[in-house]
């Protein structure tokens, strides 16, 4: 009994299995078409299910992207309409808002968060911090020494310096004549690189219940 016959027998027995078509062609690893009747059933089974799932994932991705664009358009529509309602002029800076349904059972939170990056001025900051570290190594507390040593380490994946680590340096008071210059250089090297908008959705069964986030994470559904 070959593979095709075994799958056919499973179907006849009422099992929920998939029988690959032996008609037509299938694209192979070198980019040409192979006759399906010449390809092993297990390879066709793997191919067909993979293609079906990936095509479904692409369609879902496109649907989510389109829905996200609609959500953002709705958020802009709300802001414009509220400004018009009170005859207010746009400030040019996008802010956040929380809105709820009239029955207080659905809620939308919209927020805008700036994200920061480190620019070329960081080389001066790093040089000044190194100078301070070299002068005061034996006088610094271990945690301060570690902070200075690691502040300019770059992330292995992104290759970027962690802005939060640099910000921590500015909160440390170090008795060195060049430390104020180092803090100024650190501050000047950190800039607003852009902003990200976030939408979060909540629901609850009644007003005496806690809000429950509506998860849009694929793994949480």
């Amino acid at each position: 009994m070959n593979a095709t016959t075994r799958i056919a027998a499973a179907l006849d027995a009422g099992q929920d299995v998939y029988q690959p078509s032996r008609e037509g062609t299938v694209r192979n690893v070198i980019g040409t078409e192979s006759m399906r009747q010449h390809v092993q059933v297990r390879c066709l089974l793997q191919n067909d299910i993979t293609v079906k799932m990936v095509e479904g994932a692409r369609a879902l991705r496109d649907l989510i992207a389109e829905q996200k664009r609609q959500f953002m358009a709705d958020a802009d529509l709300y802001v414009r309409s509220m400004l018009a309602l009170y005859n207010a002029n746009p400030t040019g800076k996008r802010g956040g808002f929380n809105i709820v349904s009239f029955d207080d059972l659905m809620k939308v939170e919209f927020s805008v968060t700036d994200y920061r990056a480190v620019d070329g001025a960081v080389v001066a900051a790093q040089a000044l911090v190194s100078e301070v570290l070299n002068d005061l190594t034996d006088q610094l507390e271990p945690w301060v020494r570690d902070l200075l040593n690691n502040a300019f380490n770059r992330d292995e994946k992104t290759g970027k310096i962690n802005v939060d680590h640099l910000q921590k340096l500015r909160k440390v008071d170090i008795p060195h004549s060049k430390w104020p210059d180092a803090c100024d250089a650190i501050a000047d090297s950190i800039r607003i690189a852009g902003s990200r908008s976030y939408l979060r959705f909540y629901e609850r069964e009644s007003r005496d219940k806690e809000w429950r986030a509506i998860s849009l994470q694929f793994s949480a559904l």
Side-chain angles (χ1 to χ4, degrees):
M1 183 181 291
N2 61 30
T4 301
T5 304
R6 287 195 295 270
I7 290 181
L11 286 170
D12 291 340
Q15 296 182 36
D16 185 16
V17 295
Y18 171 75
Q19 184 171 41
S21 171
R22 306 293 282 171
E23 302 295 326
T25 61
V26 60
R27 183 173 292 274
N28 56 42
V29 294
I30 61 175
T32 60
E33 299 292 323
S34 296
M35 299 298 296
R36 292 179 70 95
Q37 61 182 343
H38 297 152
V39 179
Q40 293 182 355
V41 172
R42 64 177 180 83
C43 295
L44 291 175
L45 177 61
Q46 177 175 308
N47 172 81
D48 293 357
I49 297 299
T50 299
V51 170
K52 179 182 179 183
M53 293 180 69
V54 170
E55 288 180 346
R58 288 172 175 169
L60 180 60
R61 175 199 60 195
D62 295 342
L63 179 63
I64 291 174
E66 178 56 34
Q67 187 62 65
K68 180 180 179 181
R69 285 191 288 269
Q70 185 59 57
F71 284 151
M72 291 302 178
D74 289 341
D76 287 338
L77 178 63
Y78 169 77
V79 172
R80 292 197 307 272
S81 301
M82 190 59 72
L83 291 174
L85 179 63
Y86 289 96
N87 196 28
N89 294 320
T91 61
K93 184 176 181 180
R94 199 177 193 184
F97 59 78
N98 292 351
I99 53 178
V100 297
S101 59
F102 195 55
D103 59 9
D104 204 25
L105 300 182
M106 291 178 282
K107 179 171 66 170
V108 176
E109 291 183 356
F110 177 79
S111 60
V112 179
T113 302
D114 291 331
Y115 61 92
R116 298 160 298 169
V118 177
D119 66 18
V122 74
V123 295
Q126 188 168 9
L128 287 164
V129 169
S130 295
E131 185 175 344
V132 171
L133 184 60
N134 291 335
D135 290 346
L136 302 177
T137 295
D138 297 332
Q139 303 173 40
L140 297 173
E141 294 185 41
W143 71 269
V144 176
R145 189 164 56 247
D146 290 342
L147 184 63
L148 269 62
N149 272 321
N150 299 322
F152 296 93
N153 290 347
R154 294 182 179 273
D155 185 274
E156 293 183 358
K157 293 183 178 179
T158 66
K160 297 179 180 179
I161 295 173
N162 189 302
V163 174
D164 292 333
H165 290 172
L166 292 185
Q167 293 282 43
K168 290 179 181 178
L169 287 183
R170 299 177 61 204
K171 298 179 181 179
V172 180
D173 186 16
I174 297 178
H176 191 285
S177 60
K178 290 195 174 181
W179 185 245
D181 293 333
C183 290
D184 289 343
I186 291 171
D188 290 343
S189 70
I190 299 173
R191 59 181 175 80
I192 301 297
S195 63
R196 294 188 179 95
S197 300
Y198 298 92
L199 277 167
R200 297 177 178 87
F201 307 92
Y202 301 87
E203 62 182 355
R204 58 183 176 183
E205 297 177 0
S206 60
R207 294 183 63 191
D208 60 339
K209 298 293 180 61
E210 294 293 326
W211 288 107
R212 182 175 65 252
I214 298 175
S215 177
L216 298 178
Q217 292 293 331
F218 187 80
S219 59
L221 300 177

